[in-house]
Amino acid sequence: MHAYAYGKHEEEAAAIAADIGFEQISQSHQLMRSIKYVSRTTTTTVDAYLTPLIVEYVRNFSAQFEEDLGERIYFIQSDGGLTRADQFYGFKAVLSGPAGGVVGCARTTCDELGEDVKTVGFDMGGTSTDVCRCDGRKVEHVMEAEIAGVPLQAPQVDVTTVAAGGGSVLRWENHMYK
């Protein structure tokens, strides 16, 4: 419970898990040193679930190139920043797609309309519709958000999912859109 201050117990549990064959072991004190127990736990769970999938994705992506690109492959994280492929973790990748949209919105509108433009971005993708607000190139960040009902503690762009994506059907029911 207090691993944010003393991670030794998590390290001991991780060593036992490794000894019995677990390959992916996420430890909350390594991911996010925060006093908030519930969101730290859910963040660690999300990381443990997603990181092996991301590692496999990166491996398959990298294998498509004739030469070994090694440290030249970068991915965008939930905070809108880039990271090397070998440091692209599950809990920092949850909003990587929407983060790319937010950064792209801020930069594109500034390039076209000037540095002092204020923008509301609307990004409708295949799985979600996300809305953001940008003040010039400045992108707002939050340290905790609820994503699909799960509290997640990680630096991330301030983006709000307002609807499902382009493949979804919007309907009017009980005086509201669903």
Side-chain angles (χ1 to χ4, degrees):
M1 181 176 287
H2 300 290
Y4 64 91
Y6 184 74
K8 182 92 169 123
H9 295 134
E10 278 190 353
E11 291 168 2
E12 291 170 357
I16 293 168
D19 286 346
I20 61 174
F22 282 87
E23 293 179 20
Q24 170 58 40
I25 302 165
S26 298
Q27 298 177 55
S28 72
H29 76 281
Q30 292 177 339
L31 301 176
M32 186 65 63
R33 287 189 180 268
S34 172
I35 199 166
K36 295 182 176 182
Y37 173 69
V38 173
S39 53
R40 194 175 76 243
T41 301
T42 56
T43 300
T44 305
T45 304
V46 166
D47 186 75
Y49 177 77
L50 289 179
T51 296
L53 300 173
I54 289 171
V55 167
E56 182 66 20
Y57 172 81
V58 169
R59 185 179 8 255
N60 290 338
F61 177 80
S62 300
Q64 301 303 310
F65 297 95
E66 290 180 12
E67 64 178 282
D68 179 18
L69 298 178
E71 294 184 6
R72 294 185 299 172
I73 298 177
Y74 286 80
F75 288 93
I76 194 164
Q77 301 180 109
S78 298
D79 65 0
L82 295 175
T83 189
R84 288 193 343 239
D86 64 343
Q87 297 191 356
F88 191 45
Y89 303 114
F91 83 108
K92 289 187 175 180
V94 173
L95 289 177
S96 60
V102 172
V103 171
C105 174
R107 291 186 178 183
T108 301
T109 55
C110 282
D111 288 349
E112 293 294 320
L113 302 173
E115 295 292 326
D116 58 348
V117 66
K118 295 182 184 336
T119 310
V120 173
F122 181 88
D123 179 6
M124 181 183 283
T127 59
S128 67
T129 300
D130 305 301
V131 177
C132 67
R133 187 181 67 77
C134 302
D135 189 2
R137 292 187 190 275
K138 182 179 177 198
V139 174
E140 298 294 326
H141 290 83
V142 295
M143 288 302 294
E144 185 173 347
E146 190 170 297
I147 300 170
V150 177
L152 187 69
Q153 256 183 4
Q156 51 202 282
V157 296
D158 191 5
V159 62
T160 302
T161 300
V162 296
S168 306
V169 177
L170 183 65
R171 69 182 189 282
W172 180 261
E173 185 179 305
N174 297 325
H175 304 288
M176 67 178 89
Y177 285 110
K178 291 187 175 186

